[in-house]
Amino acid sequence: MATIPEVMSDTPTRDDDQLLPDGGSNEQPSADAPARRYTEEQKYQVFNKEFMPHIDSMYNFAFRLTTDEDDANDLVQDTYLKAFRFISSFEQGTNAKAWLFRILKNSFINDYRKKSKEPAKVDYQDVETTYNSEDAETEHTVDLRAESVSDLIGDEVATALNSLPVDFRTVIILCDIEGFTYEEMAKILDIPIGTVRSRLHRARNLLKEKLRDYASSMGYNEENEE
Amino acid sequence: MKDHCSHQADCLKMIQLIVDGEATEQQLAKLKANLESCKPCIEMYQLEKEVKELLAKRMEKKCCPEQLVATIKSRILSFS
Ligand SMILES: [Zn+2]
């Protein structure tokens, strides 16, 4: 909760971007990445000490993105193999978790999103158009009370989250489940901090609409039972 | 206590920054004032906090299968 004025600015802070490899289709580490010379032994050391501790978070992220255990398995494996291959562009002591998440997210976009059956493309554009208008953003508040969602169970929250287009789902996972800062999210997603903030805002409005549907359908059932 | 908030959408954005731990001291002070005087702001704050907690605590945390950990470790050993 400290004063971090630059976080509030719309200017992306991407100055140490070169620490993160382009984990996507581009198989080469970026040209300006300072290549570190790890010995073979050091490579395994970095891998085991800095990368492996994040494997549960990575698996969780992969599962929330793909919503499928087999796909999550493949995605995590691909990501860790890529991370090892490009280990020379990782600087020890920097944010390994964000570095790994970025590779995973790029792999997902490049390799998995296409083949997944998710109709997100259409949905997403719809939603983007609706929510991108300034009006939508300034006028939109969801009529929902804290008390009406407090009884929802994990499965209902998960279903509501899964029903969001993947870009919106992603910011919520990164922020609310994994606890990344806006600045870390900007680096993981390659978008300016201002975009992180507004995408998160829209994602939450959508999520609250879904939760409201759950909350009100529960209320409706109760009334019916009487 | 105000029953109507005239800057509801802006207040909501500020509330989210605060709930995310991304707010400035100035925004924190402003929220504190609103939480004493504005009913819609109080309700929005409670809802945002509740939803964030639902996501953080109530959703199942998937653990990486042991088999996958073993596979990754053996695959990287055969790399160099
Ligand atoms: Zn207010």
Side-chain angles (χ1 to χ4, degrees), chain A residues 1-170:
Chain A
M1 284 266 180
T3 317
I4 317 171
E6 64 269 28
V7 172
M8 306 305 304
S9 133
D10 272 309
T11 324
T13 51
R14 306 273 288 276
D15 39 327
D16 48 351
D17 221 24
Q18 73 272 15
L19 299 179
L20 298 164
D22 190 331
S25 53
N26 178 5
E27 293 288 304
Q28 298 298 316
S30 61
D32 54 351
R36 265 149 281 271
R37 293 189 198 285
Y38 295 121
T39 63
E40 286 307 302
E41 199 191 334
Q42 282 170 330
K43 282 185 188 174
Y44 291 111
Q45 222 173 33
V46 169
F47 190 87
N48 286 322
K49 283 203 181 133
E50 306 232 27
F51 296 174
M52 289 310 278
H54 301 295
I55 199 154
D56 282 336
S57 294
M58 291 279 280
Y59 185 81
N60 207 41
F61 184 39
F63 179 74
R64 296 285 163 220
L65 286 177
T66 59
T67 67
D68 181 273
E69 287 186 9
D70 289 335
D71 284 346
N73 254 275
D74 293 348
L75 184 52
V76 169
Q77 182 168 327
D78 287 356
T79 304
Y80 270 90
L81 297 184
K82 244 176 226 171
F84 189 74
R85 202 143 26 109
F86 294 120
I87 205 160
S88 57
S89 57
F90 171 74
E91 187 181 358
Q92 252 183 298
T94 60
N95 194 332
K97 190 179 175 188
W99 193 81
L100 291 167
F101 267 64
R102 183 166 185 260
I103 302 177
L104 191 147
K105 164 259 170 187
N106 285 338
S107 299
F108 172 70
I109 289 173
N110 292 313
D111 307 333
Y112 290 82
R113 200 168 168 178
K114 318 186 184 88
K115 74 173 188 190
S116 83
K117 51 263 161 198
E118 139 162 52
K121 264 268 137 57
V122 183
D123 281 0
Y124 179 60
Q125 269 160 8
D126 259 13
V127 167
E128 272 286 271
T129 321
T130 315
Y131 284 81
N132 265 339
S133 73
E134 270 301 307
D135 286 354
E137 209 191 314
T138 41
E139 298 306 323
H140 196 86
T141 50
V142 181
D143 182 29
L144 182 64
R145 302 175 127 267
E147 306 87 73
S148 40
V149 295
S150 59
D151 290 332
L152 293 177
I153 58 169
D155 280 355
E156 291 167 327
V157 182
T159 311
L161 182 63
N162 287 347
S163 71
L164 300 189
V166 71
D167 296 73
F168 288 145
R169 206 188 321 148
T170 304

Side-chain angles (χ1 to χ4, degrees), chain B residues 2 4-8 11 34 38-42 44:
Chain B
K2 285 190 292 175
H4 181 76
C5 180
S6 43
H7 315 282
Q8 198 153 342
C11 287
N34 284 6
C38 180
K39 198 155 163 263
C41 274
I42 296 172
M44 286 194 293

Side-chain angles (χ1 to χ4, degrees), chain A residues 3 7 56 138 150 152 182 208, chain B residues 9 20 22 25 48 58 64:
Chain A
T3 317
V7 172
D56 282 336
T138 41
S150 59
L152 293 177
Y182 290 4
K208 281 181 283 182
Chain B
D20 291 338
E22 300 271 354
E25 301 288 349
E48 294 305 310
R58 222 166 287 177
C64 183

